[in-house]
Amino acid sequence: MDHGQSKTLLLFGATGDLAKRMLLPSLFALHADNLIAADLRIIGTARSDLDDAAYRAMAGEALAKFLPDARKDDATIASFLERIGYQPLDASTIEGFDALAAKLGDVSGGMSIFLSTAPFLFEPTILGLKSAGLAGESVRIGLEKPLGNDLASSCAINDAVAEAFPESRTFRIDHYLGKETVQNLMALRFGNMMFEPLWNANGIDHIQITVSETVGLEGRHGFYEDTGALRDMVQNHMLQLLALTAMEPPAELDATAIRDEKVKVLRSLRAVSPAESVRGQYGAGAVGGTAVGAYADDLAKPSDTETFVAIKAHVDNWRWQGVPFYLRTGKRLAERRSEIVIQFKAVPHNVFAPRGGKLVANRLIIRLQPEEYVRLLVMAKEPGLDRGGMVLREVPLDLSLTDAFAKAQRRIAYERLLLDLVDGDPTLFVRRDEVEAQWRWVDAIRKGWADGAVTPKSYGSGGWGPSAAIALTERDGVSWND
Ligand code: BG6
Protein backbone atom coordinates (compact mmCIF):
# COMPACT_ATOMS: atom_id res chain seq x y z
CA MET A 1 0.00 0.00 0.00
CA ASP A 2 1.27 3.46 -0.83
CA HIS A 3 1.38 5.73 2.18
CA GLY A 4 1.66 8.92 0.15
CA GLN A 5 3.37 11.87 1.77
CA SER A 6 5.56 11.07 4.73
CA LYS A 7 5.13 12.92 8.00
CA THR A 8 8.71 12.28 9.11
CA LEU A 9 12.03 12.37 7.30
CA LEU A 10 14.89 10.55 9.01
CA LEU A 11 18.35 11.51 7.81
CA PHE A 12 21.25 9.20 8.49
CA GLY A 13 24.71 10.74 8.21
CA ALA A 14 23.16 13.98 9.41
CA THR A 15 26.47 15.54 10.46
CA GLY A 16 28.31 14.50 7.28
CA ASP A 17 29.47 16.41 4.26
CA LEU A 18 26.56 15.44 2.00
CA ALA A 19 24.05 16.56 4.64
CA LYS A 20 25.78 19.90 5.13
CA ARG A 21 26.44 20.71 1.49
CA MET A 22 23.40 19.27 -0.20
CA LEU A 23 20.65 17.79 1.96
CA LEU A 24 20.09 20.57 4.47
CA PRO A 25 20.26 23.37 1.85
CA SER A 26 17.87 21.37 -0.38
CA LEU A 27 15.40 20.76 2.43
CA PHE A 28 15.64 24.41 3.37
CA ALA A 29 14.77 25.46 -0.20
CA LEU A 30 11.76 23.12 -0.20
CA HIS A 31 10.69 24.58 3.14
CA ALA A 32 11.15 28.17 2.00
CA ASP A 33 9.04 27.55 -1.10
CA ASN A 34 6.32 25.70 0.84
CA LEU A 35 6.91 22.51 -1.12
CA ILE A 36 7.03 20.25 1.89
CA ALA A 37 4.08 19.91 4.24
CA ALA A 38 4.15 22.24 7.24
CA ASP A 39 3.98 19.25 9.60
CA LEU A 40 6.89 17.28 8.08
CA ARG A 41 9.41 16.63 10.85
CA ILE A 42 13.06 16.18 10.00
CA ILE A 43 15.13 14.09 12.40
CA GLY A 44 18.86 13.74 11.89
CA THR A 45 20.97 10.96 13.25
CA ALA A 46 24.69 10.19 13.34
CA ARG A 47 27.27 9.09 15.89
CA SER A 48 28.03 12.54 17.32
CA ASP A 49 26.57 13.07 20.72
CA LEU A 50 24.46 16.17 20.08
CA ASP A 51 21.07 17.27 21.33
CA ASP A 52 18.41 19.04 19.26
CA ALA A 53 19.78 22.49 20.03
CA ALA A 54 23.36 21.60 19.16
CA TYR A 55 22.30 19.97 15.90
CA ARG A 56 20.18 22.97 14.97
CA ALA A 57 23.21 25.17 15.57
CA MET A 58 25.31 22.92 13.34
CA ALA A 59 22.63 22.92 10.64
CA GLY A 60 22.39 26.71 10.90
CA GLU A 61 26.12 27.00 10.30
CA ALA A 62 25.91 24.67 7.32
CA LEU A 63 23.13 26.79 5.80
CA ALA A 64 25.12 29.97 6.39
CA LYS A 65 28.02 28.40 4.53
CA PHE A 66 26.29 26.60 1.69
CA LEU A 67 23.11 28.53 0.88
CA PRO A 68 23.36 31.02 -1.95
CA ASP A 69 23.14 34.57 -0.60
CA ALA A 70 19.81 35.18 -2.33
CA ARG A 71 18.32 32.36 -0.29
CA LYS A 72 19.49 33.53 3.11
CA ASP A 73 16.68 34.88 5.20
CA ASP A 74 16.96 34.78 9.01
CA ALA A 75 13.27 34.30 9.76
CA THR A 76 12.90 31.48 7.22
CA ILE A 77 16.07 29.80 8.46
CA ALA A 78 14.76 30.00 12.04
CA SER A 79 11.41 28.46 11.09
CA PHE A 80 13.20 25.72 9.15
CA LEU A 81 15.45 24.86 12.08
CA GLU A 82 12.38 24.43 14.28
CA ARG A 83 11.39 21.41 12.20
CA ILE A 84 14.65 19.67 12.89
CA GLY A 85 15.55 17.31 15.71
CA TYR A 86 18.46 14.98 16.36
CA GLN A 87 19.13 11.62 17.94
CA PRO A 88 22.65 10.22 18.36
CA LEU A 89 23.07 6.65 17.19
CA ASP A 90 25.84 4.12 16.86
CA ALA A 91 24.40 2.17 13.96
CA SER A 92 26.88 -0.68 14.37
CA THR A 93 24.99 -2.11 17.34
CA ILE A 94 21.31 -2.75 17.73
CA GLU A 95 21.00 -1.05 21.14
CA GLY A 96 20.59 2.56 20.11
CA PHE A 97 17.68 1.93 17.73
CA ASP A 98 15.04 1.78 20.46
CA ALA A 99 16.03 5.26 21.60
CA LEU A 100 15.80 6.39 17.99
CA ALA A 101 12.30 4.88 17.75
CA ALA A 102 11.32 6.63 20.97
CA LYS A 103 12.53 9.94 19.58
CA LEU A 104 10.59 9.39 16.35
CA GLY A 105 7.39 8.39 18.13
CA ASP A 106 4.47 7.25 16.01
CA VAL A 107 5.58 6.75 12.40
CA SER A 108 2.38 5.12 11.18
CA GLY A 109 1.52 8.35 9.37
CA GLY A 110 4.46 7.68 7.03
CA MET A 111 8.21 8.04 7.28
CA SER A 112 10.96 8.38 4.68
CA ILE A 113 14.51 7.44 5.56
CA PHE A 114 17.55 8.82 3.74
CA LEU A 115 20.38 6.39 4.33
CA SER A 116 23.91 7.27 3.36
CA THR A 117 26.42 5.28 5.30
CA ALA A 118 29.66 3.34 5.09
CA PRO A 119 29.11 0.00 3.28
CA PHE A 120 29.75 -2.08 6.41
CA LEU A 121 26.95 -0.28 8.26
CA PHE A 122 24.14 -1.08 5.81
CA GLU A 123 23.32 -4.45 7.24
CA PRO A 124 23.37 -3.50 10.95
CA THR A 125 21.38 -0.37 10.17
CA ILE A 126 18.64 -2.29 8.39
CA LEU A 127 18.57 -4.86 11.20
CA GLY A 128 18.38 -2.10 13.79
CA LEU A 129 15.54 -0.33 11.98
CA LYS A 130 13.61 -3.57 11.67
CA SER A 131 14.09 -4.57 15.28
CA ALA A 132 12.92 -1.16 16.51
CA GLY A 133 9.76 -1.26 14.38
CA LEU A 134 11.07 1.40 11.99
CA ALA A 135 10.70 -0.61 8.79
CA GLY A 136 6.96 -1.19 8.69
CA GLU A 137 4.61 -0.63 5.78
CA SER A 138 4.46 3.09 6.29
CA VAL A 139 8.24 3.49 5.93
CA ARG A 140 10.23 3.86 2.74
CA ILE A 141 14.01 4.05 2.43
CA GLY A 142 16.22 6.12 0.13
CA LEU A 143 19.71 4.69 -0.38
CA GLU A 144 22.67 6.84 -1.31
CA LYS A 145 25.74 5.44 -3.06
CA PRO A 146 28.08 3.69 -2.72
CA LEU A 147 25.85 0.62 -2.64
CA GLY A 148 28.60 -1.94 -2.97
CA ASN A 149 31.61 -1.96 -5.24
CA ASP A 150 30.77 -4.87 -7.53
CA LEU A 151 27.79 -7.03 -8.41
CA ALA A 152 28.29 -9.41 -5.49
CA SER A 153 28.58 -6.72 -2.80
CA SER A 154 25.75 -4.72 -4.33
CA CYS A 155 23.54 -7.84 -4.25
CA ALA A 156 24.50 -8.43 -0.62
CA ILE A 157 23.42 -4.88 0.31
CA ASN A 158 20.24 -5.14 -1.73
CA ASP A 159 19.44 -8.50 -0.12
CA ALA A 160 19.98 -7.05 3.35
CA VAL A 161 17.71 -4.10 2.55
CA ALA A 162 15.11 -6.40 1.01
CA GLU A 163 14.86 -8.28 4.32
CA ALA A 164 13.10 -5.24 5.69
CA PHE A 165 12.00 -3.12 2.72
CA PRO A 166 10.37 -4.53 -0.42
CA GLU A 167 11.48 -3.06 -3.76
CA SER A 168 8.39 -0.81 -3.90
CA ARG A 169 9.62 0.97 -0.74
CA THR A 170 13.30 1.07 -1.74
CA PHE A 171 14.45 4.25 -3.50
CA ARG A 172 18.02 4.05 -4.84
CA ILE A 173 19.48 7.46 -5.48
CA ASP A 174 21.51 8.46 -8.52
CA HIS A 175 21.68 12.21 -8.17
CA TYR A 176 22.15 12.65 -11.93
CA LEU A 177 18.52 11.64 -12.37
CA GLY A 178 17.48 14.64 -10.30
CA LYS A 179 19.24 17.14 -12.57
CA GLU A 180 16.96 19.43 -14.52
CA THR A 181 18.67 18.96 -17.84
CA VAL A 182 18.64 15.19 -17.51
CA GLN A 183 14.87 15.48 -17.21
CA ASN A 184 14.99 17.68 -20.26
CA LEU A 185 16.52 14.90 -22.29
CA MET A 186 13.18 13.13 -22.19
CA ALA A 187 11.29 16.31 -23.05
CA LEU A 188 13.58 16.81 -26.03
CA ARG A 189 13.30 13.24 -27.29
CA PHE A 190 9.65 12.53 -26.63
CA GLY A 191 8.09 16.00 -26.79
CA ASN A 192 9.32 16.85 -30.29
CA MET A 193 8.57 15.24 -33.61
CA MET A 194 11.80 16.00 -35.42
CA PHE A 195 14.35 14.02 -33.43
CA GLU A 196 12.79 10.62 -32.85
CA PRO A 197 12.54 9.45 -36.50
CA LEU A 198 16.30 9.99 -36.86
CA TRP A 199 17.21 8.70 -33.40
CA ASN A 200 18.60 5.33 -34.49
CA ALA A 201 21.32 3.65 -36.53
CA ASN A 202 19.92 5.05 -39.80
CA GLY A 203 20.25 8.66 -38.71
CA ILE A 204 23.02 8.62 -36.14
CA ASP A 205 26.72 7.94 -36.68
CA HIS A 206 27.81 7.87 -33.05
CA ILE A 207 27.10 9.33 -29.61
CA GLN A 208 29.53 10.86 -27.13
CA ILE A 209 28.90 11.26 -23.43
CA THR A 210 31.40 13.34 -21.47
CA VAL A 211 31.38 14.04 -17.75
CA SER A 212 34.60 15.90 -17.07
CA GLU A 213 35.62 17.47 -13.81
CA THR A 214 38.40 19.85 -12.85
CA VAL A 215 38.51 18.79 -9.21
CA GLY A 216 40.87 16.14 -7.88
CA LEU A 217 40.44 13.98 -4.80
CA GLU A 218 38.64 16.57 -2.66
CA GLY A 219 39.74 14.88 0.56
CA ARG A 220 38.04 11.58 -0.31
CA HIS A 221 41.31 9.64 -0.50
CA GLY A 222 40.26 6.32 0.99
CA PHE A 223 36.97 6.09 -0.85
CA TYR A 224 38.30 7.15 -4.22
CA GLU A 225 41.39 4.99 -4.10
CA ASP A 226 39.21 1.91 -3.57
CA THR A 227 36.71 2.98 -6.21
CA GLY A 228 38.18 4.70 -9.26
CA ALA A 229 36.43 6.52 -12.09
CA LEU A 230 34.77 3.48 -13.65
CA ARG A 231 32.87 2.62 -10.50
CA ASP A 232 32.47 6.18 -9.20
CA MET A 233 30.99 7.69 -12.37
CA VAL A 234 30.43 5.20 -15.19
CA GLN A 235 28.64 2.44 -13.28
CA ASN A 236 25.93 4.86 -12.20
CA HIS A 237 25.67 8.36 -13.65
CA MET A 238 27.04 7.76 -17.13
CA LEU A 239 25.14 4.54 -17.68
CA GLN A 240 21.94 6.26 -16.61
CA LEU A 241 22.63 9.02 -19.14
CA LEU A 242 23.31 6.39 -21.78
CA ALA A 243 20.10 4.53 -20.90
CA LEU A 244 17.98 7.69 -21.12
CA THR A 245 19.58 8.57 -24.45
CA ALA A 246 19.18 5.11 -25.97
CA MET A 247 15.89 3.83 -24.53
CA GLU A 248 12.71 3.27 -26.50
CA PRO A 249 9.90 5.75 -25.86
CA PRO A 250 8.07 4.54 -22.74
CA ALA A 251 4.31 4.02 -23.10
CA GLU A 252 3.72 6.25 -20.10
CA LEU A 253 5.79 8.56 -17.95
CA ASP A 254 5.56 6.35 -14.91
CA ALA A 255 8.16 4.57 -12.82
CA THR A 256 7.58 1.10 -14.20
CA ALA A 257 7.38 2.07 -17.87
CA ILE A 258 10.50 4.24 -17.79
CA ARG A 259 12.59 1.83 -15.77
CA ASP A 260 11.49 -1.11 -17.94
CA GLU A 261 12.84 0.74 -20.98
CA LYS A 262 16.10 1.74 -19.29
CA VAL A 263 16.85 -1.76 -18.08
CA LYS A 264 16.39 -3.14 -21.59
CA VAL A 265 19.17 -0.84 -22.78
CA LEU A 266 21.44 -1.72 -19.86
CA ARG A 267 20.99 -5.40 -20.55
CA SER A 268 21.80 -4.86 -24.23
CA LEU A 269 25.24 -3.41 -23.52
CA ARG A 270 27.88 -5.46 -25.29
CA ALA A 271 30.88 -6.64 -23.27
CA VAL A 272 33.75 -4.18 -23.79
CA SER A 273 37.00 -5.57 -25.15
CA PRO A 274 40.25 -4.32 -23.55
CA ALA A 275 41.07 -2.43 -26.76
CA GLU A 276 37.85 -0.46 -26.35
CA SER A 277 38.62 1.00 -22.94
CA VAL A 278 41.27 3.40 -21.67
CA ARG A 279 42.30 3.92 -18.06
CA GLY A 280 44.10 7.06 -17.02
CA GLN A 281 45.50 8.65 -13.89
CA TYR A 282 46.25 12.34 -13.55
CA GLY A 283 49.81 13.50 -13.32
CA ALA A 284 50.96 16.99 -12.40
CA GLY A 285 49.81 19.92 -14.51
CA ALA A 286 47.74 23.07 -14.33
CA VAL A 287 43.98 23.40 -14.08
CA GLY A 288 42.48 26.83 -14.72
CA GLY A 289 45.92 28.42 -14.43
CA THR A 290 46.73 26.83 -11.06
CA ALA A 291 49.51 24.28 -10.75
CA VAL A 292 48.33 20.99 -9.29
CA GLY A 293 50.14 17.82 -8.25
CA ALA A 294 49.76 14.25 -9.47
CA TYR A 295 47.21 11.80 -8.06
CA ALA A 296 49.94 9.70 -6.48
CA ASP A 297 51.26 12.83 -4.73
CA ASP A 298 47.77 13.77 -3.51
CA LEU A 299 47.51 10.25 -2.18
CA ALA A 300 51.09 10.20 -0.92
CA LYS A 301 51.71 6.76 -2.38
CA PRO A 302 51.82 5.09 -5.78
CA SER A 303 48.48 3.79 -6.99
CA ASP A 304 46.85 1.76 -9.74
CA THR A 305 43.46 3.45 -9.45
CA GLU A 306 42.09 5.18 -12.53
CA THR A 307 40.94 8.80 -12.31
CA PHE A 308 39.92 8.79 -15.97
CA VAL A 309 38.19 6.29 -18.16
CA ALA A 310 37.14 6.30 -21.80
CA ILE A 311 35.06 3.51 -23.30
CA LYS A 312 33.68 2.63 -26.67
CA ALA A 313 30.33 1.04 -25.80
CA HIS A 314 27.76 -0.69 -27.99
CA VAL A 315 24.09 -1.25 -27.42
CA ASP A 316 23.26 -4.53 -29.11
CA ASN A 317 19.71 -4.07 -30.28
CA TRP A 318 18.01 -3.16 -33.55
CA ARG A 319 17.89 0.57 -32.97
CA TRP A 320 21.58 0.99 -32.21
CA GLN A 321 23.33 -1.63 -34.30
CA GLY A 322 26.68 -0.21 -35.46
CA VAL A 323 26.41 3.04 -33.49
CA PRO A 324 29.28 3.45 -30.99
CA PHE A 325 28.65 5.26 -27.71
CA TYR A 326 31.93 6.88 -26.68
CA LEU A 327 32.00 7.57 -22.95
CA ARG A 328 34.65 9.49 -21.04
CA THR A 329 34.93 10.86 -17.56
CA GLY A 330 37.77 12.01 -15.39
CA LYS A 331 39.13 14.22 -12.66
CA ARG A 332 41.49 17.16 -13.22
CA LEU A 333 40.49 17.63 -16.83
CA ALA A 334 40.44 20.86 -18.82
CA GLU A 335 36.87 21.85 -17.94
CA ARG A 336 33.92 20.90 -15.81
CA ARG A 337 31.38 19.75 -18.32
CA SER A 338 28.63 17.17 -18.70
CA GLU A 339 27.27 16.74 -22.17
CA ILE A 340 25.75 14.33 -24.63
CA VAL A 341 26.68 14.78 -28.28
CA ILE A 342 24.59 13.15 -30.98
CA GLN A 343 26.52 12.99 -34.22
CA PHE A 344 24.12 12.51 -37.12
CA LYS A 345 25.14 10.86 -40.37
CA ALA A 346 26.15 12.83 -43.43
CA VAL A 347 23.53 13.47 -46.11
CA PRO A 348 23.61 10.66 -48.71
CA HIS A 349 24.87 12.90 -51.53
CA ASN A 350 26.46 16.33 -51.50
CA VAL A 351 24.82 18.30 -54.31
CA PHE A 352 26.99 21.31 -53.52
CA ALA A 353 30.28 19.55 -54.18
CA PRO A 354 30.63 20.59 -57.86
CA ARG A 355 30.41 24.22 -56.68
CA GLY A 356 32.94 23.70 -53.95
CA GLY A 357 30.42 23.41 -51.14
CA LYS A 358 31.65 21.25 -48.28
CA LEU A 359 29.20 19.72 -45.84
CA VAL A 360 29.62 18.82 -42.20
CA ALA A 361 27.13 16.34 -40.76
CA ASN A 362 24.65 17.69 -38.20
CA ARG A 363 25.50 17.49 -34.54
CA LEU A 364 23.21 17.91 -31.56
CA ILE A 365 24.87 18.97 -28.32
CA ILE A 366 22.95 18.58 -25.10
CA ARG A 367 24.92 20.41 -22.42
CA LEU A 368 23.79 19.35 -18.98
CA GLN A 369 26.19 21.43 -16.88
CA PRO A 370 27.55 23.90 -16.01
CA GLU A 371 25.57 25.68 -18.74
CA GLU A 372 22.24 24.24 -19.77
CA TYR A 373 21.59 24.30 -23.48
CA VAL A 374 20.62 22.31 -26.49
CA ARG A 375 22.51 23.24 -29.64
CA LEU A 376 21.86 21.85 -33.10
CA LEU A 377 24.61 22.52 -35.61
CA VAL A 378 23.13 22.90 -39.09
CA MET A 379 24.59 23.84 -42.47
CA ALA A 380 23.90 27.26 -43.95
CA LYS A 381 25.27 29.17 -46.92
CA GLU A 382 27.54 32.11 -46.30
CA PRO A 383 25.91 35.21 -47.80
CA GLY A 384 27.47 36.36 -51.08
CA LEU A 385 27.35 35.96 -54.84
CA ASP A 386 29.41 32.79 -54.73
CA ARG A 387 31.55 33.64 -57.78
CA GLY A 388 34.50 31.81 -56.27
CA GLY A 389 32.37 28.83 -55.23
CA MET A 390 29.73 28.23 -52.65
CA VAL A 391 30.73 28.47 -49.02
CA LEU A 392 28.67 26.45 -46.59
CA ARG A 393 29.16 26.83 -42.89
CA GLU A 394 28.00 25.17 -39.68
CA VAL A 395 25.77 27.51 -37.65
CA PRO A 396 24.22 26.77 -34.28
CA LEU A 397 20.50 26.65 -33.68
CA ASP A 398 20.66 27.44 -30.00
CA LEU A 399 18.20 26.78 -27.25
CA SER A 400 19.59 28.24 -24.07
CA LEU A 401 17.50 26.79 -21.29
CA THR A 402 19.08 29.22 -18.85
CA ASP A 403 17.79 32.18 -20.90
CA ALA A 404 14.47 30.70 -22.05
CA PHE A 405 13.52 29.92 -18.48
CA ALA A 406 15.40 32.75 -16.78
CA LYS A 407 12.59 33.36 -14.29
CA ALA A 408 12.22 29.75 -13.20
CA GLN A 409 13.85 28.82 -9.91
CA ARG A 410 16.82 26.51 -10.54
CA ARG A 411 16.68 23.44 -8.36
CA ILE A 412 19.58 21.25 -7.37
CA ALA A 413 19.17 17.53 -7.87
CA TYR A 414 18.62 16.72 -4.21
CA GLU A 415 15.67 19.11 -3.94
CA ARG A 416 13.77 17.11 -6.50
CA LEU A 417 14.90 13.73 -5.18
CA LEU A 418 14.15 14.48 -1.52
CA LEU A 419 10.72 15.77 -2.49
CA ASP A 420 10.01 12.67 -4.58
CA LEU A 421 11.18 10.46 -1.72
CA VAL A 422 8.91 12.20 0.79
CA ASP A 423 6.03 12.10 -1.72
CA GLY A 424 6.69 8.45 -2.62
CA ASP A 425 7.30 8.85 -6.36
CA PRO A 426 9.91 6.27 -7.45
CA THR A 427 10.26 7.35 -11.12
CA LEU A 428 13.67 8.99 -10.69
CA PHE A 429 15.14 6.27 -8.50
CA VAL A 430 17.07 3.30 -9.76
CA ARG A 431 15.47 -0.13 -9.67
CA ARG A 432 17.41 -3.17 -8.53
CA ASP A 433 17.49 -4.81 -11.95
CA GLU A 434 19.03 -1.65 -13.44
CA VAL A 435 21.77 -1.54 -10.80
CA GLU A 436 22.56 -5.18 -11.36
CA ALA A 437 22.77 -4.81 -15.12
CA GLN A 438 25.09 -1.82 -14.60
CA TRP A 439 27.37 -3.80 -12.29
CA ARG A 440 27.46 -6.82 -14.56
CA TRP A 441 28.80 -4.71 -17.41
CA VAL A 442 31.27 -2.81 -15.24
CA ASP A 443 32.55 -5.94 -13.48
CA ALA A 444 33.36 -7.47 -16.86
CA ILE A 445 35.40 -4.39 -17.82
CA ARG A 446 37.31 -4.61 -14.55
CA LYS A 447 37.93 -8.30 -15.09
CA GLY A 448 39.32 -7.50 -18.54
CA TRP A 449 41.68 -4.97 -16.96
CA ALA A 450 42.76 -7.42 -14.28
CA ASP A 451 43.29 -10.30 -16.74
CA GLY A 452 45.27 -8.10 -19.09
CA ALA A 453 47.16 -6.35 -16.26
CA VAL A 454 45.95 -3.01 -17.68
CA THR A 455 47.33 -0.17 -15.57
CA PRO A 456 46.27 3.49 -15.89
CA LYS A 457 48.16 5.68 -18.33
CA SER A 458 49.34 8.99 -16.96
CA TYR A 459 47.85 12.25 -18.29
CA GLY A 460 48.70 15.82 -17.55
CA SER A 461 46.23 17.59 -15.29
CA GLY A 462 44.31 20.25 -17.19
CA GLY A 463 44.09 18.31 -20.44
CA TRP A 464 41.58 15.84 -21.85
CA GLY A 465 43.06 12.59 -20.58
CA PRO A 466 45.69 10.22 -21.97
CA SER A 467 46.44 10.23 -25.68
CA ALA A 468 45.05 6.70 -25.88
CA ALA A 469 41.60 8.22 -25.24
CA ILE A 470 42.05 10.38 -28.32
CA ALA A 471 43.24 7.38 -30.33
CA LEU A 472 40.15 5.44 -29.19
CA THR A 473 37.91 7.65 -31.30
CA GLU A 474 40.37 8.85 -33.94
CA ARG A 475 40.93 5.36 -35.28
CA ASP A 476 37.20 5.38 -36.11
CA GLY A 477 37.63 8.79 -37.77
CA VAL A 478 35.84 10.49 -34.85
CA SER A 479 37.03 13.44 -32.75
CA TRP A 480 35.90 14.16 -29.23
CA ASN A 481 33.84 17.32 -28.92
CA ASP A 482 36.45 19.34 -26.96
C1 BG6 B 1 29.61 11.75 -7.38
C2 BG6 B 1 31.02 11.22 -7.42
O1 BG6 B 1 28.70 10.69 -7.47
O2 BG6 B 1 29.40 12.64 -8.45
C3 BG6 B 1 32.02 12.36 -7.39
O3 BG6 B 1 31.25 10.36 -6.32
C4 BG6 B 1 31.72 13.38 -8.47
O4 BG6 B 1 33.35 11.87 -7.54
C5 BG6 B 1 30.24 13.78 -8.43
O5 BG6 B 1 32.54 14.50 -8.27
C6 BG6 B 1 29.89 14.65 -9.63
O6 BG6 B 1 28.60 15.19 -9.47
P1 BG6 B 1 28.20 16.56 -10.16
O7 BG6 B 1 26.74 16.72 -9.80
O8 BG6 B 1 29.07 17.61 -9.57
O9 BG6 B 1 28.43 16.38 -11.62
Side-chain angles (χ1 to χ4, degrees):
M1 188 183 122
D2 181 18
H3 275 72
Q5 270 192 355
S6 295
K7 296 267 180 275
T8 306
L9 174 63
L10 173 60
L11 291 183
F12 278 83
T15 54
D17 202 48
L18 182 70
K20 288 181 184 162
R21 271 176 200 276
M22 294 288 173
L23 306 181
L24 290 167
S26 298
L27 289 167
F28 171 80
L30 296 173
H31 165 89
D33 297 341
N34 294 317
L35 290 166
I36 42 177
D39 60 354
L40 176 82
R41 286 182 314 152
I42 301 169
I43 305 291
T45 184
R47 278 181 81 111
S48 309
D49 193 14
L50 306 175
D51 59 11
D52 286 348
Y55 185 65
R56 284 183 187 142
M58 199 211 80
E61 280 169 30
L63 294 179
K65 190 158 170 205
F66 295 113
L67 277 183
D69 285 343
R71 272 284 185 195
K72 285 180 190 156
D73 173 80
D74 290 345
T76 320
I77 291 182
S79 65
F80 173 68
L81 294 177
E82 272 169 30
R83 287 181 186 261
I84 301 187
Y86 182 85
Q87 175 67 33
L89 175 75
D90 173 0
S92 66
T93 74
I94 215 143
E95 281 92 59
F97 282 87
D98 283 337
L100 178 64
K103 173 84 178 187
L104 291 164
D106 180 13
V107 294
S108 61
M111 175 164 80
S112 292
I113 299 173
F114 183 102
L115 181 57
S116 79
T117 188
F120 74 95
L121 282 176
F122 269 106
E123 224 176 308
T125 304
I126 300 292
L127 276 176
L129 288 169
K130 199 172 170 187
S131 79
L134 296 174
E137 266 197 9
S138 64
V139 185
R140 65 179 74 99
I141 191 159
L143 303 173
E144 179 60 80
K145 70 175 266 230
L147 294 175
N149 56 12
D150 57 13
L151 180 62
S153 53
S154 146
C155 286
I157 289 175
N158 282 319
D159 286 343
V161 173
E163 287 289 312
F165 297 91
E167 184 64 27
S168 61
R169 292 196 273 117
T170 303
F171 287 51
R172 290 178 202 82
I173 294 163
D174 182 318
H175 81 279
Y176 265 58
L177 293 181
K179 288 184 191 275
E180 191 64 52
T181 23
V182 175
Q183 294 301 297
N184 236 314
L185 188 56
M186 280 204 275
L188 185 78
R189 285 195 59 195
F190 306 132
N192 296 294
M193 188 58 205
M194 65 266 238
F195 297 118
E196 205 47 32
L198 286 178
W199 208 267
N200 53 48
N202 294 329
I204 293 178
D205 180 78
H206 71 267
I207 290 177
Q208 301 182 14
I209 303 180
T210 294
V211 177
S212 58
E213 299 186 278
T214 51
V215 292
L217 273 181
E218 290 185 296
R220 299 152 84 215
H221 295 59
F223 164 75
Y224 199 87
E225 173 62 6
D226 291 342
T227 307
L230 179 68
R231 293 189 279 188
D232 187 38
M233 298 296 285
V234 179
Q235 184 273 335
N236 39 39
H237 312 321
M238 296 196 75
L239 285 185
Q240 284 291 323
L241 293 181
L242 183 152
L244 288 167
T245 307
M247 73 182 186
E248 297 300 313
E252 297 173 76
L253 216 56
D254 78 352
T256 305
I258 293 178
R259 298 190 293 180
D260 283 352
E261 295 307 338
K262 282 193 295 171
V263 80
K264 279 186 344 206
V265 172
L266 296 166
R267 287 191 186 131
S268 309
L269 285 166
R270 188 190 303 168
V272 174
S273 72
E276 291 174 324
S277 71
V278 174
R279 297 180 83 192
Q281 187 185 87
Y282 63 80
V287 178
T290 309
V292 293
Y295 177 79
D297 297 334
D298 290 351
L299 202 67
K301 59 172 190 194
S303 153
D304 265 352
T305 298
E306 81 283 354
T307 61
F308 174 97
V309 57
I311 295 171
K312 180 178 173 184
H314 303 268
V315 178
D316 272 339
N317 63 15
W318 277 41
R319 185 189 276 259
W320 296 113
Q321 210 39 238
V323 181
F325 286 69
Y326 299 103
L327 315 178
R328 66 174 170 171
T329 183
K331 304 270 184 206
R332 290 262 197 256
L333 296 181
E335 271 178 38
R336 172 167 186 256
R337 179 203 289 187
S338 298
E339 74 179 10
I340 301 170
V341 175
I342 314 290
Q343 178 62 61
F344 291 99
K345 289 200 161 151
V347 295
H349 170 59
N350 179 3
V351 297
F352 307 100
R355 299 190 184 201
K358 294 198 179 87
L359 290 177
V360 180
N362 299 134
R363 184 174 268 222
L364 178 72
I365 302 171
I366 304 164
R367 176 65 63 92
L368 308 172
Q369 63 186 24
E371 311 88 353
E372 300 178 355
Y373 62 73
V374 178
R375 177 174 293 163
L376 181 62
L377 297 170
V378 295
M379 295 311 294
K381 190 183 93 60
E382 256 191 23
L385 297 177
D386 311 324
R387 296 299 94 183
M390 206 168 176
V391 182
L392 295 162
R393 210 157 43 91
E394 234 181 356
V395 283
L397 264 180
D398 253 322
L399 168 61
S400 161
L401 301 165
T402 321
D403 294 349
F405 302 107
K407 290 213 181 80
Q409 172 77 50
R410 310 319 271 182
R411 303 265 173 205
I412 61 171
Y414 283 100
E415 289 180 45
R416 180 190 303 271
L417 295 177
L418 285 166
L419 193 57
D420 285 353
L421 174 64
V422 168
D423 284 349
D425 180 351
T427 312
L428 299 181
F429 296 85
V430 187
R431 213 166 54 187
R432 180 167 179 166
D433 52 359
E434 294 178 77
V435 178
E436 291 181 0
Q438 292 172 178
W439 275 122
R440 225 167 260 126
W441 188 72
V442 159
D443 281 0
I445 296 176
R446 288 184 50 239
K447 179 164 186 314
W449 288 348
D451 291 351
V454 179
T455 51
K457 297 185 164 55
S458 178
Y459 61 94
S461 285
W464 282 110
S467 52
I470 298 164
L472 180 74
T473 60
E474 292 292 339
R475 60 174 177 250
D476 296 341
V478 168
S479 299
W480 291 105
N481 190 51
D482 288 345

